[in-house]
Protein backbone atom coordinates (compact mmCIF):
# COMPACT_ATOMS: atom_id res chain seq x y z
CA UNK A 1 0.00 0.00 0.00
CA UNK A 2 1.35 3.42 -0.94
CA UNK A 3 2.59 5.64 1.87
CA UNK A 4 0.68 8.87 2.47
CA UNK A 5 2.85 11.94 3.02
CA UNK A 6 1.78 15.48 3.94
CA UNK A 7 4.17 18.38 3.34
CA UNK A 8 3.51 21.87 4.68
CA UNK A 9 5.05 24.61 2.57
CA UNK A 10 5.02 22.12 -0.29
CA UNK A 11 4.14 24.69 -2.96
CA UNK A 12 7.75 25.84 -3.34
CA UNK A 13 11.42 25.19 -2.67
CA UNK A 14 12.31 22.46 -0.19
CA UNK A 15 8.72 21.34 0.38
CA UNK A 16 8.05 20.94 -3.35
CA UNK A 17 11.27 18.91 -3.67
CA UNK A 18 10.17 16.65 -0.80
CA UNK A 19 6.72 16.25 -2.37
CA UNK A 20 8.26 15.30 -5.72
CA UNK A 21 10.77 12.93 -4.12
CA UNK A 22 8.18 10.97 -2.13
CA UNK A 23 5.76 10.94 -5.09
CA UNK A 24 8.62 9.50 -7.13
CA UNK A 25 8.78 6.65 -4.61
CA UNK A 26 5.10 5.92 -5.18
CA UNK A 27 3.69 7.86 -2.21
CA UNK A 28 0.38 9.70 -2.21
CA UNK A 29 1.29 13.29 -1.36
CA UNK A 30 -0.73 16.11 0.18
CA UNK A 31 0.60 19.65 -0.20
CA UNK A 32 -0.55 22.02 2.54
CA UNK A 33 0.37 25.63 1.80
CA UNK A 34 -1.05 29.16 1.78
CA UNK A 35 0.31 29.58 -1.72
CA UNK A 36 -2.15 28.42 -4.41
CA UNK A 37 0.87 27.45 -6.55
CA UNK A 38 0.69 24.25 -4.52
CA UNK A 39 -2.19 23.29 -6.79
CA UNK A 40 0.19 22.97 -9.76
CA UNK A 41 2.76 20.94 -7.81
CA UNK A 42 -0.01 18.63 -6.61
CA UNK A 43 -1.37 18.22 -10.15
CA UNK A 44 2.11 17.42 -11.46
CA UNK A 45 2.62 14.57 -8.96
CA UNK A 46 -0.97 13.29 -8.83
CA UNK A 47 -1.34 14.58 -5.27
CA UNK A 48 -3.78 16.75 -3.36
CA UNK A 49 -3.48 20.45 -2.54
CA UNK A 50 -5.11 21.77 0.64
CA UNK A 51 -4.97 25.50 1.21
CA UNK A 52 -3.49 25.75 4.70
CA UNK A 53 -2.20 28.51 6.92
CA UNK A 54 -0.05 26.57 9.38
CA UNK A 55 -0.38 29.42 11.90
CA UNK A 56 -4.00 28.32 12.39
CA UNK A 57 -4.63 25.12 14.36
CA UNK A 58 -7.91 24.50 12.52
CA UNK A 59 -6.12 24.60 9.16
CA UNK A 60 -3.60 21.99 10.33
CA UNK A 61 -6.41 19.76 11.50
CA UNK A 62 -8.30 20.24 8.23
CA UNK A 63 -5.21 19.36 6.19
CA UNK A 64 -4.61 16.03 7.95
CA UNK A 65 -8.33 15.27 7.79
CA UNK A 66 -8.26 15.92 4.03
CA UNK A 67 -5.29 13.55 3.69
CA UNK A 68 -7.10 10.79 5.55
CA UNK A 69 -10.30 11.36 3.61
CA UNK A 70 -8.55 11.25 0.24
CA UNK A 71 -6.08 8.43 0.89
CA UNK A 72 -7.41 6.55 3.92
CA UNK A 73 -4.56 7.32 6.30
CA UNK A 74 -1.47 9.44 6.94
CA UNK A 75 2.03 8.04 7.50
CA UNK A 76 4.62 10.80 7.22
CA UNK A 77 4.33 14.53 7.90
CA UNK A 78 6.97 17.06 6.91
CA UNK A 79 6.38 20.33 8.80
CA UNK A 80 8.37 22.58 6.53
CA UNK A 81 6.44 25.84 6.03
CA UNK A 82 8.46 28.77 7.28
CA UNK A 83 9.17 32.46 6.85
CA UNK A 84 12.07 34.78 7.66
CA UNK A 85 12.59 38.50 7.38
CA UNK A 86 12.30 39.49 11.04
CA UNK A 87 15.08 42.07 10.76
CA UNK A 88 17.15 43.30 13.69
CA UNK A 89 14.73 45.90 15.12
CA UNK A 90 12.59 43.42 17.06
CA UNK A 91 9.47 44.70 15.33
CA UNK A 92 6.66 43.09 17.32
CA UNK A 93 4.33 42.41 14.40
CA UNK A 94 7.11 40.65 12.50
CA UNK A 95 8.12 38.77 15.66
CA UNK A 96 4.58 37.49 16.21
CA UNK A 97 4.12 36.53 12.56
CA UNK A 98 7.42 34.61 12.39
CA UNK A 99 6.70 32.79 15.64
CA UNK A 100 3.13 32.08 14.48
CA UNK A 101 4.23 30.44 11.25
CA UNK A 102 7.51 28.82 12.32
CA UNK A 103 6.81 27.79 15.92
CA UNK A 104 3.00 27.71 16.32
CA UNK A 105 2.92 26.03 12.90
CA UNK A 106 5.24 23.32 14.23
CA UNK A 107 3.34 22.80 17.49
CA UNK A 108 -0.05 22.77 15.73
CA UNK A 109 1.33 20.54 12.99
CA UNK A 110 2.71 18.00 15.46
CA UNK A 111 -0.62 17.88 17.34
CA UNK A 112 -2.57 17.35 14.13
CA UNK A 113 -0.09 14.78 12.76
CA UNK A 114 -0.12 12.69 15.93
CA UNK A 115 -3.92 12.81 16.16
CA UNK A 116 -4.10 11.61 12.56
CA UNK A 117 -1.98 8.52 13.29
CA UNK A 118 1.19 9.61 11.48
CA UNK A 119 4.24 7.57 12.50
CA UNK A 120 7.04 9.88 11.34
CA UNK A 121 7.32 13.67 11.61
CA UNK A 122 10.21 15.72 10.26
CA UNK A 123 10.41 19.47 10.87
CA UNK A 124 12.50 21.85 8.79
CA UNK A 125 14.48 24.04 11.18
CA UNK A 126 17.69 25.67 9.89
CA UNK A 127 21.39 25.98 10.57
CA UNK A 128 20.14 29.25 12.11
CA UNK A 129 18.51 26.97 14.69
CA UNK A 130 21.84 25.63 15.92
CA UNK A 131 24.08 28.64 15.32
CA UNK A 132 23.59 32.42 15.50
CA UNK A 133 22.18 34.39 12.59
CA UNK A 134 22.96 38.07 13.06
CA UNK A 135 20.96 39.02 9.95
CA UNK A 136 17.70 37.60 11.31
CA UNK A 137 17.74 37.02 15.09
CA UNK A 138 14.01 36.42 15.42
CA UNK A 139 14.06 33.81 12.66
CA UNK A 140 17.05 32.23 14.41
CA UNK A 141 15.14 32.23 17.72
CA UNK A 142 12.15 30.52 16.09
CA UNK A 143 14.38 27.83 14.60
CA UNK A 144 16.28 27.32 17.88
CA UNK A 145 12.88 26.80 19.50
CA UNK A 146 12.03 24.13 16.94
CA UNK A 147 15.32 22.35 17.59
CA UNK A 148 14.72 22.41 21.35
CA UNK A 149 11.19 21.12 20.90
CA UNK A 150 12.19 18.30 18.58
CA UNK A 151 15.01 17.20 20.87
CA UNK A 152 12.73 17.23 23.91
CA UNK A 153 9.34 15.93 22.83
CA UNK A 154 8.85 12.18 23.16
CA UNK A 155 5.78 10.77 21.43
CA UNK A 156 5.20 7.04 21.87
CA UNK A 157 5.20 5.25 18.51
CA UNK A 158 6.10 8.36 16.52
CA UNK A 159 9.54 9.49 15.34
CA UNK A 160 10.15 13.25 15.51
CA UNK A 161 13.28 14.72 13.94
CA UNK A 162 14.49 17.93 12.34
CA UNK A 163 16.64 18.88 9.40
CA UNK A 164 18.75 22.03 9.60
CA UNK A 165 19.58 23.23 6.11
CA UNK A 166 22.33 25.73 5.32
CA UNK A 167 21.68 28.02 2.34
CA UNK A 168 19.35 26.37 -0.14
CA UNK A 169 18.51 27.84 -3.53
CA UNK A 170 14.83 28.66 -3.02
CA UNK A 171 12.67 31.81 -3.12
CA UNK A 172 13.11 32.42 0.63
CA UNK A 173 16.71 33.57 0.05
CA UNK A 174 15.94 35.46 -3.20
CA UNK A 175 16.90 38.86 -1.79
CA UNK A 176 20.18 37.59 -0.34
CA UNK A 177 21.07 35.24 -3.21
CA UNK A 178 23.51 37.53 -5.10
CA UNK A 179 25.17 38.63 -1.86
CA UNK A 180 25.66 35.01 -0.77
CA UNK A 181 27.13 33.98 -4.11
CA UNK A 182 29.43 37.03 -4.19
CA UNK A 183 30.72 35.99 -0.76
CA UNK A 184 31.47 32.46 -1.90
CA UNK A 185 28.60 30.73 -0.11
CA UNK A 186 27.53 27.44 -1.65
CA UNK A 187 23.80 27.14 -2.28
CA UNK A 188 22.38 23.62 -2.11
CA UNK A 189 19.69 22.28 -4.38
CA UNK A 190 16.38 21.77 -2.53
CA UNK A 191 16.50 18.08 -3.47
CA UNK A 192 19.57 17.68 -1.24
CA UNK A 193 17.31 18.55 1.69
CA UNK A 194 14.58 16.27 0.34
CA UNK A 195 17.07 13.40 0.23
CA UNK A 196 18.00 14.13 3.84
CA UNK A 197 14.35 14.16 4.89
CA UNK A 198 13.85 10.76 3.26
CA UNK A 199 16.99 9.40 4.94
CA UNK A 200 15.88 10.66 8.35
CA UNK A 201 12.40 9.14 7.99
CA UNK A 202 13.86 5.78 6.91
CA UNK A 203 16.41 5.85 9.74
CA UNK A 204 13.67 5.23 12.28
CA UNK A 205 15.44 7.18 15.06
CA UNK A 206 13.82 10.02 16.99
CA UNK A 207 14.66 13.41 18.58
CA UNK A 208 17.57 13.86 16.18
CA UNK A 209 18.85 17.04 14.53
CA UNK A 210 20.45 16.75 11.09
CA UNK A 211 22.59 19.40 9.41
CA UNK A 212 22.24 19.61 5.60
CA UNK A 213 24.86 21.56 3.66
CA UNK A 214 25.58 21.84 -0.05
CA UNK A 215 27.43 18.88 -1.51
CA UNK A 216 27.88 17.05 1.81
CA UNK A 217 26.06 14.07 3.27
CA UNK A 218 23.63 14.95 6.09
CA UNK A 219 25.41 15.11 9.45
CA UNK A 220 23.94 14.38 12.86
CA UNK A 221 24.33 17.49 15.05
CA UNK A 222 25.93 16.68 18.39
CA UNK A 223 25.04 18.65 21.52
CA UNK A 224 26.56 18.77 25.00
CA UNK A 225 25.02 15.97 27.03
CA UNK A 226 23.24 17.54 29.99
CA UNK A 227 20.41 15.39 31.26
CA UNK A 228 17.97 17.65 33.13
CA UNK A 229 15.92 14.70 34.32
CA UNK A 230 18.90 13.52 36.40
CA UNK A 231 19.69 16.98 37.76
CA UNK A 232 16.19 17.70 39.04
CA UNK A 233 15.40 16.85 42.67
CA UNK A 234 11.70 16.94 41.78
CA UNK A 235 10.13 16.41 38.38
CA UNK A 236 6.77 17.89 39.24
CA UNK A 237 7.24 20.84 36.89
CA UNK A 238 7.65 18.45 33.99
CA UNK A 239 5.88 15.46 32.58
CA UNK A 240 7.50 12.21 33.59
CA UNK A 241 8.86 10.00 30.86
CA UNK A 242 6.04 7.56 31.56
CA UNK A 243 3.46 10.15 30.51
CA UNK A 244 5.50 12.08 27.94
CA UNK A 245 3.61 12.80 24.75
CA UNK A 246 0.59 10.71 25.69
CA UNK A 247 -1.65 13.75 25.99
CA UNK A 248 -1.13 14.33 22.27
CA UNK A 249 -3.05 11.20 21.45
N1 LIG B 1 16.27 28.15 1.65
C1 LIG B 1 17.09 28.20 2.68
O1 LIG B 1 18.24 28.65 2.55
C2 LIG B 1 16.66 27.63 4.00
C3 LIG B 1 17.66 27.39 4.94
C4 LIG B 1 17.28 26.87 6.18
C5 LIG B 1 15.96 26.61 6.45
N2 LIG B 1 15.01 26.88 5.50
C6 LIG B 1 13.63 26.56 5.85
O2 LIG B 1 13.11 25.70 4.89
C7 LIG B 1 11.70 25.81 4.89
C8 LIG B 1 11.19 25.88 3.49
O3 LIG B 1 11.65 27.09 2.92
P1 LIG B 1 12.15 27.20 1.41
O4 LIG B 1 13.59 27.49 1.45
O5 LIG B 1 11.69 26.05 0.61
O6 LIG B 1 11.44 28.56 0.98
P2 LIG B 1 10.16 28.82 0.07
O7 LIG B 1 9.82 30.24 0.32
O8 LIG B 1 10.44 28.36 -1.31
O9 LIG B 1 9.05 27.86 0.69
C9 LIG B 1 8.35 28.15 1.87
C10 LIG B 1 6.93 27.70 1.66
O10 LIG B 1 6.23 27.89 2.89
C11 LIG B 1 4.96 28.42 2.57
N3 LIG B 1 4.38 29.13 3.70
C12 LIG B 1 4.78 30.31 4.24
N4 LIG B 1 3.95 30.67 5.23
C13 LIG B 1 3.01 29.69 5.33
C14 LIG B 1 1.90 29.48 6.16
N5 LIG B 1 1.54 30.40 7.10
N6 LIG B 1 1.16 28.37 5.98
C15 LIG B 1 1.48 27.47 5.03
N7 LIG B 1 2.51 27.61 4.19
C16 LIG B 1 3.27 28.71 4.35
C17 LIG B 1 5.21 29.34 1.40
O11 LIG B 1 4.02 29.65 0.69
C18 LIG B 1 6.19 28.52 0.58
O12 LIG B 1 5.54 27.66 -0.32
C19 LIG B 1 11.36 27.01 5.77
O13 LIG B 1 10.95 26.57 7.05
C20 LIG B 1 12.69 27.73 5.87
O14 LIG B 1 12.79 28.49 7.05
C21 LIG B 1 15.33 27.37 4.27
Amino acid sequence: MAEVVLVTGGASGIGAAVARRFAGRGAQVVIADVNPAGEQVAAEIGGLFVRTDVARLADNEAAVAAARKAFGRLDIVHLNAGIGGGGTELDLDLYRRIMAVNLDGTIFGIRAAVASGARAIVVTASLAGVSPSQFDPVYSASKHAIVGLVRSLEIPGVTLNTVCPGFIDTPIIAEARDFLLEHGMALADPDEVAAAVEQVVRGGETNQVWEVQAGRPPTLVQFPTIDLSRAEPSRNLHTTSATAGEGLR
Side-chain angles (χ1 to χ4, degrees), residues 144-218:
H144 272 79
I146 290 171
V147 168
L149 177 73
V150 165
R151 294 181 66 211
S152 304
L153 183 62
E154 296 173 1
I155 313 169
V158 181
T159 63
L160 173 65
N161 296 289
T162 183
V163 288
C164 289
F167 293 113
I168 314 297
D169 203 358
T170 74
I172 208 172
I173 60 149
E175 279 181 25
R177 191 173 188 278
D178 290 345
F179 174 86
L180 293 170
L181 290 173
E182 278 163 22
H183 287 79
M185 301 300 298
L187 303 183
D189 187 277
D191 191 53
E192 291 184 59
V193 186
V197 170
E198 184 181 23
Q199 181 186 316
V200 169
V201 166
R202 302 290 173 234
E205 300 291 334
T206 195
N207 302 122
Q208 290 186 337
V209 180
W210 288 85
E211 177 183 330
V212 186
Q213 298 241 48
R216 299 191 216 156

Side-chain angles (χ1 to χ4, degrees), residues 7-17 31-38 50-56 59-60 78-84 97 100-102 105 123-129 139 142-143 146 163-174 180 187-188 190 193 212:
V7 186
T8 71
S12 174
I14 292 167
I31 291 176
D33 202 303
V34 275
N35 183 350
V50 185
R51 196 203 171 277
T52 308
D53 179 350
V54 297
R56 294 166 45 91
D59 280 21
N60 287 269
H78 182 204
L79 301 173
N80 164 78
I83 57 171
R97 187 62 194 156
V101 175
N102 295 2
V123 189
T124 305
S126 171
L127 271 193
Y139 175 80
S142 73
K143 296 297 188 177
I146 290 171
V163 288
C164 289
F167 293 113
I168 314 297
D169 203 358
T170 74
I172 208 172
I173 60 149
L180 293 170
L187 303 183
V193 186
V212 186

Side-chain angles (χ1 to χ4, degrees), residues 10-11 19-20 29-31 37-50:
R20 291 188 177 105
V29 179
V30 179
I31 291 176
E39 193 85 64
Q40 278 93 59
V41 181
E44 175 202 318
I45 60 176
L48 176 72
F49 171 68
V50 185

Side-chain angles (χ1 to χ4, degrees), residues 73-115:
R73 59 176 214 285
L74 184 56
D75 301 300
I76 299 164
V77 174
H78 182 204
L79 301 173
N80 164 78
I83 57 171
T88 55
E89 304 294 319
L90 301 186
D91 177 279
L92 292 185
D93 289 338
L94 287 175
Y95 161 69
R96 296 214 187 283
R97 187 62 194 156
I98 288 172
M99 287 296 175
V101 175
N102 295 2
L103 187 55
D104 292 1
T106 300
I107 299 264
F108 297 164
I110 291 171
R111 285 190 71 97
V114 172

